[in-house]
Amino acid sequence: MFAPSPETTTPTEAPVTRPGVDDLDLALDTFLAQRTRLFRIAYQIVGDVSAAEDVVQEVWLRWQLTHRVEINNPAAFLTTATTRLAINVVQSARHRHETPAEPQLADLGDRAAQDPMVCAERTVAVEAALALLMARLTPDRLAAYVLRKGFDYAYADLAGLLRISVQNARVVVHRAQARLECDRERPVPAESHRRLVSAFRTAASTGDLEDLIRLLIPGGRVHRLLSPA
């Protein structure tokens, strides 16, 4: 059963309910109340309208099959399911060398949004994107990738910061992009992830990248920049 569009208020056919399980009409109402928000979360992660719609449809299917009477916070459950499925889509697409090719860091760094709900959604997307980058990139490539893709650092400025040539700065970013297409991952320490998310959000909201750069490049120097892929 596919998730109805926001304009649809009831399913085409009357759902078959089971004794002891909450009615699908209520499940539908709950889902529709969250659907637009779930789509925005999915889109911010996958960066593609069609893929985001597919994620939302899959969340709807899973919501129908979930034992909903045991869910205390449906909104949180749906948000978590959407985030995880969207990350899976990104990882799977990279594995098959299809689009979307990389996390949409530039969009997530947009400082114009004032809506608290939109800000909360972007926080979820930032956390997911940075966790993926940390799991797949070495510290040198992580630094180069986040600064270039998230904040449009010029290669000349990136080279000066990393104390390498402009050409080598391009190589580092290119290798980071290539590494994201591989599904090999390392564990991400929760505290390190929390600090990076906080520094990224601060840089995006204030334009001051000092703390982010200090976190990405301890001591002002990234080592092993051109280590073999």
Side-chain angles (χ1 to χ4, degrees):
M1 181 177 182
F2 289 104
S5 64
E7 292 77 20
T8 305
T9 57
T10 58
T12 303
E13 299 178 358
V16 177
T17 58
R18 294 173 292 169
V21 180
D22 61 327
D23 186 79
L24 271 179
D25 285 336
L26 178 59
L28 176 61
D29 290 341
T30 300
F31 180 83
L32 287 179
Q34 301 293 324
R35 190 182 190 284
T36 299
R37 187 173 67 88
L38 299 179
F39 172 81
R40 290 203 299 260
I41 292 173
Y43 178 74
Q44 288 170 352
I45 295 174
V46 303
D48 179 82
V49 171
S50 178
E53 286 286 3
D54 288 343
V55 168
V56 174
Q57 295 289 351
E58 179 64 23
V59 172
W60 165 238
L61 293 174
R62 294 194 180 196
W63 180 235
Q64 293 178 77
L65 299 174
T66 297
H67 192 50
R68 296 178 296 277
V69 294
E70 297 181 353
I71 304 299
N72 294 324
N73 191 333
F77 176 90
L78 292 170
T79 296
T80 300
T82 300
T83 302
R84 289 176 177 174
L85 284 170
I87 293 174
N88 288 342
V89 167
V90 173
Q91 293 174 335
S92 178
R94 290 201 190 94
H95 183 67
R96 298 190 307 267
H97 302 284
E98 299 174 359
T99 57
E102 57 195 57
Q104 307 298 304
L105 288 184
D107 292 340
L108 298 180
D110 184 1
R111 287 173 278 163
Q114 299 296 324
D115 188 322
M117 184 63 73
V118 173
C119 290
E121 292 163 4
R122 285 184 173 172
T123 296
V124 172
V126 165
E127 291 174 351
L130 291 179
L132 183 63
L133 294 177
M134 293 178 73
R136 296 194 174 186
L137 300 181
T138 55
D140 51 343
R141 294 168 187 169
L142 176 66
Y145 187 91
V146 169
L147 293 175
R148 173 64 184 173
K149 297 297 184 177
F151 299 93
D152 199 28
Y153 242 65
Y155 281 111
D157 294 335
L158 189 60
L161 181 64
L162 302 180
R163 303 177 188 177
I164 58 177
S165 69
V166 173
Q167 180 58 36
N168 281 350
R170 293 180 182 275
V171 170
V172 174
V173 174
H174 175 74
R175 287 186 175 178
Q177 290 175 306
R179 182 63 180 82
L180 287 174
E181 296 179 356
C182 178
D183 57 5
R184 290 177 299 170
E185 297 183 357
R186 64 177 63 83
V188 177
E191 180 60 22
S192 297
H193 179 241
R194 185 196 64 78
R195 290 200 304 268
L196 182 57
V197 169
S198 177
F200 184 94
R201 292 181 61 195
T202 297
S205 62
T206 66
D208 184 353
L209 277 64
E210 183 177 350
D211 289 342
L212 177 63
I213 291 173
R214 185 180 300 114
L215 182 63
L216 289 170
I217 312 174
R221 174 85 184 202
V222 172
H223 299 288
R224 302 184 311 280
L225 283 170
L226 297 179
S227 58

